[in-house]
Amino acid sequence: MIERANQRCVQCGASFPVYGTFCPTCGQAVYRPIKPLTLSKSTVLKPVRLRAVSSPGIAEMQPTQTPLQPVLPPAPQSASTSLRTRMMEITTLRLPAMRVPGSQERSVASSISGLLSGPLASQPLLTPEKWTRGSSVLSVLALMIALILCGTAISTFIRGGSLNTGEASRQGPAYKGHTQSVYQACWSPDGKYIASAGGLGDGTVQVWEAATERMVITYHEHATAALALAWSPDGKYIASAGYGDMVRVWEALSGRTVFIYEGHHNASVLAVAWSPDGNRIATGGVDNTVQVWDALTGNHVVTYREFQDDVTALDWSSDGRIAVGSVDGAVQVWEASAAKHLLTYTGHSGAVYALAWSPDNRLIASGGEDKMVQVWDVATKKVFSVYKGHTAKVNALAWSTNEMQIVSGGEDKTVQVWDALTGKHIATYRGHAGSVNAVAWSPDGKKIVSGSADKTVLIW
């Protein structure tokens, strides 16, 4: 025998089983237990069936003519049945009475009923005819969906893009100190300052605070244009170059010129790079050479002459190799100390304007006139990924400090971030009105700086 206590409603006096927390007669939640009910195990039990009775603007619960029957405890449930039960509990919460659902809400109810009855059970739990608190339930479901979407949106925002489009917004200042195109922009090693180089008609290198845009110094020693620059690893000096054959090394925060290097013989210098140890500087130009010289004295060390066209891009690896990009479409890797040619990569179909070593020195990313960036293994020349998100030539690129992403800027006026090993697009920054000529990650990896032909430098 099974003993089961009944309960009595204190509002209308109706007696009903302990299952359920509301009186099926009057709908009130207040009840009191009465004496136990003794049942036989063979007793045939039926659930209480309710029907919806509409009154003007209010839906109330009334019992049908079927006699009230006791309900036994539920049988053990499978995992899918338990999930179905939990979903039913969510959708059958008793909330304050609201208006009777309309046709649109009944349609939603039908969809939910199909979801619950399809993969989770053989019998539908809800039908539009039994949905008497439709608006309240829909409110709960809408809140749940909104919370899920908010979580997804926040996660996507943290990665740097918006929910659907991958578009990202600028989060830092816009620097407008230049009067002509900005050809280069890069962070100081400590992340406090940015140095930017102005093109033909500007000719200045300007150093300013990244956080406030406050001008620190303007270097005026380039006669017509400043096309390339690089900070020393210790942040004390800047090497800059432009039209003509001179490369100038000067104190970053005072503007005092330390020395001038004149080894390119009346040829404009397009690329400058400091060695990681700070002892040497490499420069490349339209004389089809790369020259390495002592950063402390300005004395010439070695010249590489195996290039068929202008040298447009340079980068040192931390183990002493130099990667060189050229208008002839090739990327060459040299042993810096011995001037020994190590390899040539010919995967591009046009001029190479930008390249960078990965932080672990295994990979090189290179981009240019063919509108794509290729990431390839230096030891095998095997291509790991190809990024084709730009619609015009790629002018600049840089690896993130965690080696996972690459940022690239192009003539299509965009700054784009993508996965280094898969080539999958992550975010696009649109804010420049002209070609993007320079991009760089901040040392902490949290921000990106970009310089453009629209005369501005933006921080993202």
Side-chain angles (χ1 to χ4, degrees), residues 186-195 207-211 216 231-237 252-253 441-445 447:
C186 52
W187 298 83
S188 62
D190 61 7
K192 294 181 179 180
Y193 305 100
I194 292 173
V207 179
W208 43 284
E209 292 180 346
V216 176
W231 287 82
S232 64
D234 61 8
K236 295 180 179 180
Y237 304 98
L253 300 183
W441 292 90
S442 61
D444 62 7
K447 297 179 181 178

Side-chain angles (χ1 to χ4, degrees), residues 48-307:
V48 175
R49 293 189 300 170
L50 305 176
R51 62 185 178 86
V53 177
S54 300
S55 62
I58 299 293
E60 298 181 349
M61 304 297 293
Q62 298 292 343
T64 65
Q65 297 302 316
T66 304
L68 186 66
Q69 300 292 335
V71 181
L72 286 175
Q77 298 176 323
S78 64
S80 62
T81 305
S82 298
L83 175 61
R84 173 174 174 265
T85 302
R86 292 293 300 148
M87 296 180 69
M88 181 177 67
E89 289 173 355
I90 293 173
T91 57
T92 55
L93 292 174
R94 184 176 179 86
L95 298 174
M98 299 178 67
R99 65 181 178 85
V100 177
S103 59
Q104 182 177 4
E105 293 160 330
R106 291 176 179 273
S107 176
V108 174
S110 297
S111 300
I112 296 174
S113 176
L115 174 64
L116 297 177
S117 62
L120 300 178
S122 59
Q123 298 296 327
L125 294 173
L126 302 171
T127 63
E129 290 73 24
K130 296 179 181 179
W131 194 285
T132 62
R133 296 289 193 268
S135 298
S136 300
V137 176
L138 289 176
S139 298
V140 174
L141 293 178
L143 177 59
M144 294 171 61
I145 294 172
L147 290 174
I148 294 172
L149 292 178
C150 285
T152 304
I154 292 172
S155 175
T156 306
F157 175 77
I158 292 174
R159 295 196 303 269
S162 65
L163 182 60
N164 297 319
T165 65
E167 298 294 315
S169 60
R170 185 166 57 86
Q171 300 180 13
Y175 181 73
K176 301 180 180 180
H178 290 282
T179 59
Q180 296 298 329
S181 297
V182 177
Y183 277 97
Q184 187 59 270
C186 52
W187 298 83
S188 62
D190 61 7
K192 294 181 179 180
Y193 305 100
I194 292 173
S196 51
L200 187 63
D202 182 309
T204 65
V205 177
Q206 301 180 21
V207 179
W208 43 284
E209 292 180 346
T212 66
E213 303 176 64
R214 185 183 70 85
M215 170 69 67
V216 176
I217 191 171
T218 300
Y219 189 73
H220 293 279
E221 299 303 317
H222 295 288
T224 55
L227 303 178
L229 65 85
W231 287 82
S232 64
D234 61 8
K236 295 180 179 180
Y237 304 98
I238 291 176
S240 57
Y243 286 126
D245 61 348
M246 293 186 294
V247 181
R248 298 175 180 269
V249 176
W250 45 283
E251 292 178 350
L253 300 183
S254 71
R256 185 182 70 86
T257 300
V258 178
F259 63 82
I260 299 173
Y261 180 73
E262 302 181 82
H264 283 276
H265 306 296
N266 299 317
S268 296
V269 176
L270 305 178
V272 177
W274 285 80
S275 64
D277 60 11
N279 294 329
R280 291 166 292 174
I281 296 174
T283 53
V286 298
D287 59 357
N288 304 352
T289 69
V290 172
Q291 300 185 26
V292 179
W293 37 285
D294 190 289
L296 300 178
T297 65
N299 294 331
H300 176 266
V301 177
V302 68
T303 298
Y304 314 146
R305 302 183 183 276
E306 304 298 323
F307 306 101

Side-chain angles (χ1 to χ4, degrees), residues 1-6 36-40 72-73:
M1 301 295 289
I2 299 175
E3 292 190 353
R4 195 67 182 168
N6 270 16
L37 176 67
T38 302
L39 302 175
S40 169
L72 286 175

